Amino acid sequence: ARPPTHEGPAEGPRFVSGVAFVFTGIVQGVAQVESIEAREGLHTLRLKLPEGFDTDLAIGASVACDGCCLTVTERHAGGHADFDVMAQTLKLTTLGGLQVGSGLNVERAAKDGAEIGGHPLSGHVDATARIAEIRRPENNVVLRFAVDAPWMRYVFPKGYIGVNGCSLTVAESQRERDGSGWFEVWLIPETLRMTTFAEKQVGDAVHLEIDRSTQVVVDTVRDALDEKLGPLLPLLEELARERGLDLTQLALPKS
């Protein structure tokens, strides 16, 4: 499993109902890459931020860029700001493949007492997924994402997931026997207007941040099964996969 990636934040995390977070998953606009200074083990991105986004934005502040928490290292006139991206983040995310003109979903760190219109996000990238299919029913867009194992174990219909920093609700999902799978989200016109999703194409990679509360429940159930079943667990998991089942799902309470 990939380690989470996180650049910053400069200040401590916020807490809501015992969950640490920095962002709400409500994208505040699209920033454009103005320049990239590529050095050994470090890229400095200069972004043109959305109008008004940089009001009172301080050096050291946290900004989610496609869901990856980056720290403002320098500000410039005209709504421009610099962000350093270290080698590990470049390796594990899509930020290393950015080009001048690329768009990024951006959100500033949540302030104390801010309304959480989406769900709490930390700005850590857990994994990348690829767009497998795009459908366009009237007044909507449906995106299907292909996800590698083991991350699909944390994706459930009607659950939350962060995709490029945007809090989305999973509409449908399916797991394969090898632990991989896919999930779908439906996007309304306002989401398409405020994000980069309208420009995405089949095959494009995106960042995923799984819902932490879901991860805790799933991992706790798996640990309990492992403790009770011990050496039998791998055999039972294999048997369940052959029949298209997931032991973790079977053990979770019904909603």
Side-chain angles (χ1 to χ4, degrees):
R2 292 175 173 175
T5 60
H6 183 65
E7 301 273 346
E11 44 186 53
R14 315 292 183 184
F15 289 85
V16 174
S17 299
V19 179
F21 79 107
V22 180
F23 307 101
T24 69
I26 302 300
V27 174
Q28 296 168 327
V30 175
Q32 300 291 328
V33 178
E34 288 284 315
S35 66
I36 302 173
E37 182 182 354
R39 289 165 283 170
E40 184 67 28
L42 186 74
H43 283 190
T44 297
L45 306 178
R46 180 163 298 177
L47 303 184
K48 175 66 171 71
L49 300 170
E51 184 176 356
F53 186 90
D54 64 333
T55 301
D56 299 324
L57 183 67
I59 293 176
S62 298
V63 176
C65 299
D66 269 358
C68 184
C69 181
L70 301 180
T71 300
V72 178
T73 58
E74 193 170 348
R75 290 190 57 188
H76 304 275
H80 294 78
D82 290 352
F83 302 84
D84 287 342
V85 187
M86 62 184 179
Q88 182 74 346
T89 302
L90 294 170
K91 176 183 177 182
L92 298 180
T93 71
T94 64
L95 300 185
L98 291 175
Q99 300 177 350
V100 173
S102 295
L104 294 165
N105 296 333
V106 289
E107 181 193 352
R108 290 182 59 168
K111 297 180 180 179
D112 291 328
E115 177 182 351
I116 305 178
H119 75 283
L121 292 173
S122 65
H124 291 256
V125 175
D126 293 303
T128 57
R130 290 198 175 272
I131 298 176
E133 182 182 314
I134 301 176
R135 304 195 307 276
R136 292 182 171 84
E138 188 174 1
N139 296 321
N140 293 273
V141 170
V142 183
L143 301 182
R144 175 177 291 189
F145 299 97
V147 184
D148 293 334
W151 301 105
M152 271 305 299
R153 68 173 58 143
Y154 305 114
V155 182
F156 297 90
K158 300 182 182 179
Y160 295 120
I161 192 164
V163 181
N164 275 5
C166 185
S167 172
L168 298 174
T169 301
V170 177
E172 302 287 343
S173 68
Q174 178 175 306
R175 293 177 182 81
E176 306 298 338
R177 292 181 178 179
D178 64 358
S180 65
W182 56 262
F183 71 90
E184 290 184 345
V185 298
W186 287 62
L187 305 178
I188 62 174
E190 177 65 10
T191 301
L192 296 172
R193 184 182 72 86
M194 290 295 295
T195 68
T196 62
F197 291 124
E199 302 172 2
K200 296 298 183 184
Q201 300 179 0
V202 171
D204 286 350
V206 297
H207 297 150
L208 299 183
E209 181 179 333
I210 60 175
D211 179 44
R212 294 292 168 235
S213 59
T214 300
Q215 182 184 22
V216 169
V217 172
V218 170
D219 287 347
T220 299
V221 170
R222 291 180 64 86
D223 288 344
L225 289 173
D226 184 48
E227 182 178 340
K228 290 183 178 180
L229 299 176
L232 291 177
L233 183 58
L235 296 175
L236 290 174
E237 286 183 323
E238 180 61 29
L239 185 63
R241 280 195 294 269
E242 291 177 359
R243 287 160 173 73
L245 302 174
D246 186 316
L247 286 183
T248 303
Q249 281 188 296
L250 293 176
L252 289 172
K254 300 298 182 181
S255 59

